[in-house]
Amino acid sequence: QGENNYSAMASDRDAFDYQQRWLTKLWQTMQAEILRITGQQFLPYLFTYQVAAHRRYAQDHIQIALAQWRASKAYDDVVLTAPCYIFRTNADNLHLTAESSWLMGEYTSRAMHQTMIQRGGKWRPLEPVAVDWQSTQIKVTFHVPAGQLVIDNALAATYENAGFILRNGADAVIAGGITAVAVTARDEITITTAPGIPFDAKLTYARGKPGDAAHSGPISGGRGNVRDTAGLYDKATSPLGNEFALHNACV
């Protein structure tokens, strides 16, 4: 699952090491066992959500979430359905409500349907695919599953600069580093930065920063406000009678 790995061994701080252990010791071994038991002629898929409880475990890094995303990009049989930061939690600010667990199932079943039934290619989440970094401007191009990019609080409470934060080479937040964030094309977001950003700076999203609440979830956890418009036509009504627009949130 990955959540508790944020408070586990120090080696889990390295996204690549975690990804390799997860795939070789768990998933690939499990695949071989499934084929042996069922006799099926096709490899099974692994559908996973992207964990988002790092702050709840008092961690400022997101290496497990990064490892899951990278695995979905590197392997055809690993499918990342949705980031968990959009799903509401119980009072412990960690475990999902029953309705949120149902909602996660809706996102997962949609990814399964496209991948395995429609066979329109492996499902891909809303994710960055290219970055053009200039002196005071960063243009990020995304894979947009449906419609176009939007910045709002439909899926998660508003966070400064839509969840984007600049950090320096020592991983410290650059205060005032971002001055504006805007959608500038169907699949593009432009981030305006202050002059003099260090050469070794890096851009993060939905990670949060030191001093944020030790919570998970869309209200006060590490989160962002970038989504697509899939929910304009893709909606689902929960067992409690609540309607949800199934927009895709950025990883």
Side-chain angles (χ1 to χ4, degrees):
Q1 183 193 27
E3 298 282 13
N4 193 51
N5 294 84
Y6 280 120
S7 59
M9 299 181 295
S11 62
D12 285 339
R13 299 293 180 89
D14 185 283
F16 180 77
D17 285 351
Y18 175 83
Q19 173 186 314
Q20 292 306 108
R21 287 190 292 108
W22 176 46
L23 290 171
T24 58
K25 292 188 177 181
L26 176 63
W27 176 234
Q28 291 175 359
T29 302
M30 194 172 166
Q31 275 188 326
E33 192 71 357
I34 290 170
L35 293 177
R36 183 187 67 79
I37 293 172
T38 66
Q40 65 192 58
Q41 299 302 307
F42 58 92
L43 289 174
Y45 286 98
L46 185 146
F47 292 88
T48 182
Y49 63 87
Q50 185 187 39
V51 296
H54 55 287
R55 300 231 157 265
R56 180 61 174 75
Y57 289 104
Q59 301 294 342
D60 186 39
H61 68 89
I62 55 171
Q63 302 297 19
I64 307 304
L66 288 175
Q68 292 170 328
W69 178 47
R70 290 171 181 171
S72 75
K73 293 174 67 64
Y75 297 89
D76 290 338
D77 53 359
V78 178
V79 184
L80 184 61
T81 63
C84 199
Y85 69 79
I86 65 173
F87 301 117
R88 287 181 177 262
T89 62
N90 285 306
D92 64 357
N93 296 304
L94 176 62
H95 295 96
L96 300 187
T97 65
E99 189 174 49
S100 289
S101 293
W102 165 86
L103 183 59
M104 179 185 286
E106 290 295 302
Y107 277 92
T108 303
S109 63
R110 183 173 64 180
M112 288 178 170
H113 186 265
Q114 176 173 314
T115 303
M116 302 178 68
I117 307 302
Q118 288 185 327
R119 298 193 178 276
K122 187 181 87 168
W123 167 263
R124 291 173 58 194
L126 176 55
E127 59 186 359
V129 295
V131 178
D132 180 16
W133 195 314
Q134 304 297 329
S135 58
T136 58
Q137 202 174 70
I138 307 170
K139 290 184 179 293
V140 185
T141 304
F142 294 84
H143 166 72
V144 182
Q148 62 186 44
L149 291 174
V150 174
I151 293 175
D152 67 8
N153 60 3
L155 298 178
T158 300
Y159 196 90
E160 63 185 78
N161 296 316
F164 291 100
I165 292 177
L166 282 175
R167 293 175 177 244
N168 62 24
D171 210 33
V173 172
I174 302 174
I178 295 176
T179 59
V181 177
V183 175
T184 48
R186 185 196 71 84
D187 61 350
E188 178 188 86
I189 287 178
T190 298
I191 299 157
T192 304
T193 68
I197 297 299
F199 178 75
D200 59 356
K202 58 187 173 185
L203 180 68
T204 65
Y205 176 78
R207 175 177 170 181
K209 61 184 185 301
D212 286 355
H215 296 168
S216 184
I219 304 302
S220 53
R223 63 196 186 277
N225 301 115
V226 178
R227 64 168 176 88
D228 70 4
T229 54
L232 291 179
Y233 59 86
D234 195 357
K235 304 178 188 296
T237 302
S238 80
L240 298 181
N242 298 315
E243 185 178 77
F244 291 86
L246 299 181
H247 302 302
N248 294 293
C250 182
V251 296

